[in-house]
Amino acid sequence: MSDAIAELIAAEGLPESYAQVVEAHWKPLATRIARLPAHRAPLVVGINGAQGSGKSTMCKFLEVLLARRRVRAITLSIDDLYLTRAERERLAQEVHPLFATRGVPGTHAIGLGIDIIENMLAGRELELPRFDKGADDRASETTRITGPVDVLLLEGWCVGARPQDLEALAEPVNELEREEDADGTWRGLVNHWLAEDYARLFDQLDLLVMLKVQGFDAVRRNRALQEEKLRAANPDAAEVMDEAALERFCAHYERLTRHMLEEMPQRADVVIEIGPDQNPVD
């Protein structure tokens, strides 16, 4: 195990045994990415995975492993493309109240993501946006990227998602949809945007990797762990959710998450099963 990997394991608060995960899963994936045909730079690798599946952690290790191969990889989370809080509030007032909650297609600045890719392809300097989940708003700080980028790791819970068939939208999947989207307007618009703006972004993918959790119950459990970490890191953050708020928040994600778990494994280039301990299943 290299010093860089050992240092990253320690920095992420992971057990030393995580080195086995790196060796068995992330190292072979980095090799596959490094061997992609270099028809453009950057190549765009989509990392799909439900909340708590380990996308962000995996991308940090991929950056280090790819750097060993002289491949410069930069990570962009689709979360960092969220509309500002003010923009979502305006969307909620003018289109549908459920768009006030970040997460579903329609609550991201997809044009910003496409611009980032275009600027990278052109070799221009650019600023990567960052989203502050504790404040539930886009952060003022950005990350400046200079010089050529070989691989863009685009990670997010709905990266690579495809719209549902219209018939599937008829029946609500949970109480939130039954009570607050009885006529299906909100879920219909989510599906529409997924077929339009988001499809244009996801068409940029050269490889789609899916971190496949065991079901939606795992999403609820993993999202609760994320909130605990957020609360520990930012005890004064106003937007850290309690149990009721967390349940409502997850309900916004349920329909599309279940849809992706059912249909995406058949078409993703790489599928990695994630166990209840949030690590890949051997």
Side-chain angles (χ1 to χ4, degrees):
M1 180 172 61
S2 73
D3 290 343
I5 294 296
E7 289 171 4
L8 184 52
I9 288 174
E12 292 294 302
L14 298 165
E16 291 183 4
S17 60
Y18 194 81
Q20 298 170 12
V21 173
V22 176
E23 191 68 24
H25 299 280
W26 307 154
K27 188 175 179 180
L29 179 57
T31 298
R32 175 159 183 178
I33 293 171
R35 291 176 177 172
L36 288 172
H39 62 92
R40 63 174 184 169
L43 295 170
V44 183
V45 176
I47 310 293
N48 173 282
Q51 290 85 347
S53 58
K55 302 180 298 298
S56 299
T57 299
M58 183 190 74
C59 286
K60 291 176 182 178
F61 283 96
L62 287 177
E63 287 186 15
V64 172
L65 292 165
L66 287 167
R68 285 183 184 174
R69 297 163 171 81
R70 302 183 183 278
V71 175
R72 185 189 185 198
I74 297 294
T75 299
L76 173 65
S77 171
I78 200 169
D79 290 359
D80 289 324
L81 300 178
Y82 282 137
L83 297 172
T84 66
R85 189 168 184 170
E87 288 170 333
R88 284 182 284 116
E89 288 175 352
R90 185 161 57 250
L91 193 63
Q93 293 169 2
E94 298 176 358
V95 181
H96 194 285
L98 287 177
F99 284 115
T101 300
R102 68 178 190 263
V104 299
T107 62
H108 302 86
I110 292 301
L112 178 57
I114 293 174
D115 286 346
I116 287 170
I117 294 173
E118 289 180 349
N119 284 329
M120 283 188 176
L121 288 170
R124 304 187 190 101
E125 293 187 7
L126 66 143
E127 303 285 341
L128 291 186
R130 296 301 180 203
F131 192 85
D132 183 347
K133 293 182 180 178
D136 191 26
D137 208 347
R138 190 176 297 166
S140 56
E141 300 83 7
T142 59
T143 300
R144 176 170 286 277
I145 304 297
T146 60
V149 175
D150 301 306
V151 173
L152 176 65
L153 301 172
L154 177 62
E155 64 96 345
W157 80 277
C158 64
V159 166
R162 288 180 177 173
Q164 291 183 280
D165 294 334
L166 294 181
E167 311 84 71
L169 301 177
E171 292 297 323
V173 299
N174 54 32
E175 185 177 352
L176 178 81
E177 290 190 0
R178 281 191 295 273
E179 295 188 356
E180 300 183 46
D181 188 40
D183 63 358
T185 297
W186 173 70
R187 56 189 183 266
L189 285 170
V190 168
N191 210 53
H192 168 75
W193 276 320
L194 196 57
E196 298 291 334
D197 305 51
Y198 289 72
R200 286 193 285 274
L201 176 62
F202 300 153
D203 281 346
Q204 300 292 321
L205 301 183
D206 296 289
L207 188 79
L208 176 59
V209 179
M210 183 185 194
L211 302 184
K212 183 177 178 291
V213 298
Q214 296 179 329
F216 195 70
D217 287 342
V219 175
R220 293 189 182 97
R221 182 174 61 251
N222 293 339
R223 194 62 185 79
L225 289 173
Q226 286 183 330
E227 284 301 307
E228 290 177 10
K229 292 178 182 177
L230 187 61
R231 187 177 293 108
N234 303 278
D236 298 325
E239 296 302 320
V240 176
M241 292 178 274
D242 59 21
E243 186 175 347
L246 183 61
E247 184 66 26
R248 173 180 168 79
F249 181 72
C250 288
H252 291 73
Y253 292 76
E254 184 169 359
R255 170 179 292 277
L256 188 53
T257 298
R258 292 187 183 278
H259 172 58
M260 290 186 295
L261 287 173
E262 180 180 348
E263 67 84 25
M264 187 175 284
Q266 286 73 47
R267 61 181 175 84
D269 299 294
V270 178
V271 178
I272 300 173
E273 299 278 349
I274 302 297
D277 62 352
Q278 297 179 282
N279 286 329
V281 176
D282 288 335

